[in-house]
Amino acid sequence: MTAETPLTWLYVPGDRPDVVRKARGSGADVVIVDLEDAVAPDRKEYARSAAVELLCEPASPTTAPVHVRVHTEADVLALAGLPGLAELRLPKITHAASVHHIAALAPGVPLCPLLESALGIEHAYTVASAHPQVRSIGLGEADLRADLGVRDDAGLDWSRSRVVVAARAAGLAPPTQSVFPDVLDLDGLWASCAHGRALGFLGRAAIHPRQLPVIERAFRPTPQEVEAAQEIVEAAREQAGALALPDGRFVDAAVVAQAHRTLALAGRGR
């Protein structure tokens, strides 16, 4: 984890190139051009051509990188190799074979498979470890909720934890939380982010710019967490190996590593 660790991803419909360009200056760490659910069937081809045009444009160093959630194999073939493409997000992945197929169509392009069904969750680790081009995995909670017949949000927690564990076991970055669908309920978004952070997610996708500051604050370490991490790092400098702090907390190498990650995240963007 570095000071550049992203925390906010903003979804934008691919058939609204004017909105996509505006989103790149919205403050989001990453902009996700959506060619799938956010685009009507009769607008899919236009959305693809608009995405190709956007990704061929020179990018300013101050604009957010662009990921694309694809809809079809034709999208992958059209986008692979374009200079402005940072990552492909692959919806409704259920098997490692699908990842290998896309990787062959888009060699060298970072991939993020999205698990959106019970079968996808069951294969979480094999998908996460399927190919070196897989840089992250994520959940598509709307489809997963429908597939499982879950009404209460807590019904998704086992699947969420499964994805967090699979990502870690595969050596990937912590997954980002799925979108919070109510763009007006910022208190609800905050509480949901706090819960997701407790489960091991890092950062979150948004569907409106007003959600970005809430997500940013929710996933940054608190002043108390930063202070505790600084104390641990300083103590580790003075004494190698396991040690006990004055307040009784036991510190070993794993705790020190977590403290360094906390400080790196706290310094993000400074």
Side-chain angles (χ1 to χ4, degrees):
M1 183 182 298
T2 71
E4 289 72 40
T5 300
L7 293 180
T8 54
W9 287 256
L10 180 60
Y11 272 102
V12 188
D15 61 343
R16 297 286 306 278
D18 55 330
V19 178
V20 174
R21 290 182 175 89
K22 184 177 180 181
R24 296 191 75 183
S26 66
D29 296 322
V30 177
V31 169
I32 304 171
V33 176
D34 192 4
L35 304 183
E36 198 209 11
D37 290 343
V39 179
D42 62 348
R43 300 272 290 174
K44 298 285 189 187
E45 289 191 14
Y46 170 71
R48 182 195 306 146
S49 63
V52 169
E53 181 178 348
L54 173 79
L55 294 173
C56 288
E57 294 175 356
S60 164
T62 61
T63 57
V66 175
H67 296 188
V68 179
R69 181 165 72 169
V70 295
H71 177 60
T72 65
E73 186 174 299
D75 294 336
V76 176
L77 292 171
L79 300 170
L82 295 182
L85 178 65
E87 184 174 279
L88 289 175
R89 296 173 75 85
L90 314 179
K92 299 176 175 61
I93 295 297
T94 57
H95 294 86
S98 300
V99 178
H100 281 279
H101 179 64
I102 298 299
L105 297 177
V109 177
L111 304 176
C112 175
L114 301 175
L115 310 179
E116 307 185 52
S117 66
L119 186 56
I121 295 300
E122 281 300 295
H123 294 158
Y125 175 71
T126 59
V127 169
S129 59
H131 196 277
Q133 286 174 229
V134 175
R135 304 296 169 81
S136 60
I137 58 173
L139 276 175
E141 290 192 357
D143 284 354
L144 180 60
R145 189 186 302 272
D147 190 42
L148 296 177
V150 170
R151 294 186 179 182
D152 192 307
D153 192 62
L156 294 178
D157 277 358
W158 185 87
S159 299
R160 291 164 174 159
S161 293
R162 180 76 175 269
V163 169
V164 169
V165 172
R168 180 58 182 164
L172 304 178
T176 60
Q177 249 185 306
S178 187
V179 299
F180 187 80
D182 189 338
V183 300
L184 298 180
D185 184 7
L186 298 184
D187 289 338
L189 172 62
W190 175 272
S192 178
C193 288
H195 181 63
R197 187 181 178 205
L199 290 175
F201 288 92
L202 182 62
R204 187 165 202 165
I207 54 175
H208 194 283
R210 70 165 58 96
Q211 296 179 313
L212 299 175
V214 177
I215 295 170
E216 172 83 20
R217 291 196 305 271
F219 284 95
R220 273 188 180 271
T222 65
Q224 293 79 10
E225 289 170 333
V226 172
E227 182 179 357
Q230 289 172 333
E231 184 178 2
I232 290 169
V233 170
E234 290 170 5
R237 288 196 190 106
E238 296 176 0
Q239 179 180 330
L243 65 146
L245 298 180
D247 62 5
R249 283 178 294 158
F250 179 77
V251 174
D252 61 8
V255 175
V256 175
Q258 180 61 39
H260 279 292
R261 288 194 291 268
T262 296
L263 296 179
L265 188 58
R268 196 184 79 100
R270 293 180 181 175

